[in-house]
Amino acid sequence: MSILSELKNILENTSPIDVYLEYDGIPLESKGERFVVVGIDSEECSYDIQNSSDDFSKDKISFKVRIIMPSDVDNDTINNYFDNYIMNPLMKSIQFNVLSVKKDAPQYTKYLNKMQLDSTILVECVSNFSFS
């Protein structure tokens, strides 16, 4: 399972609204009034090259999380959703160690006619890999 799919599963287990991958090919119109979109902004991988028996890497991943809600939703509602259904499950996750969070203020998006909250969450995790 990919790291992005792991994040999506963690959020889906607690979120009362649908969670989508950034480039899933699902038309925007079919995603409903409220939804979350997750993607990867960047990834940094490191491993001990001198220890060839070690099949694990330490990864730093910067996730993009976008919350979309109807235009009549107030800032408190969308911020509370972020705290309760994005950050809370990530902080409790054993897969990810949250290093930093950058959360923009909610804003009206004219293109979608909805409120939108964008965030970038930097996490650290350990991945299993093999060179064979």
Side-chain angles (χ1 to χ4, degrees):
M1 178 182 295
S2 76
I3 291 174
L4 191 55
S5 295
E6 285 182 38
L7 173 67
K8 182 179 183 261
N9 286 340
I10 289 168
L11 299 181
E12 283 179 326
N13 287 335
T14 58
S15 176
I17 63 178
D18 291 330
V19 179
Y20 297 95
L21 298 178
E22 188 171 33
Y23 299 107
D24 59 9
I26 298 172
L28 189 61
E29 307 80 43
S30 66
K31 292 186 178 178
E33 282 289 306
R34 300 168 186 256
F35 57 94
V36 175
V37 179
V38 295
I40 293 180
D41 191 40
S42 66
E43 185 173 357
E44 179 183 321
C45 176
S46 64
Y47 56 90
D48 186 355
I49 198 164
Q50 295 180 7
N51 185 358
S52 61
S53 65
D54 190 5
D55 289 343
F56 296 94
S57 68
K58 192 177 212 180
D59 300 327
K60 286 186 182 176
I61 300 144
S62 179
F63 289 115
K64 295 184 289 185
V65 178
R66 175 172 287 159
I67 302 169
I68 307 291
M69 293 196 172
S71 59
D72 61 348
V73 169
D74 62 35
N75 286 354
D76 285 343
T77 300
I78 199 166
N79 279 309
N80 286 337
Y81 180 88
F82 178 83
D83 294 342
N84 294 325
Y85 298 106
I86 305 296
M87 287 310 302
N88 195 26
L90 279 178
M91 296 300 279
K92 292 179 179 178
S93 165
I94 60 171
Q95 292 100 325
F96 301 111
N97 177 29
V98 176
L99 300 176
S100 67
V101 177
K102 177 187 175 282
K103 180 175 78 167
D104 296 339
Q107 58 185 314
Y108 173 74
T109 304
K110 189 174 181 178
Y111 165 72
L112 298 173
N113 190 28
K114 296 186 185 294
M115 289 297 288
Q116 173 177 314
L117 183 144
D118 291 332
S119 63
T120 304
I121 303 169
L122 181 64
V123 301
E124 185 175 61
C125 64
V126 174
S127 298
N128 190 349
F129 70 92
S130 177
F131 286 118
S132 49

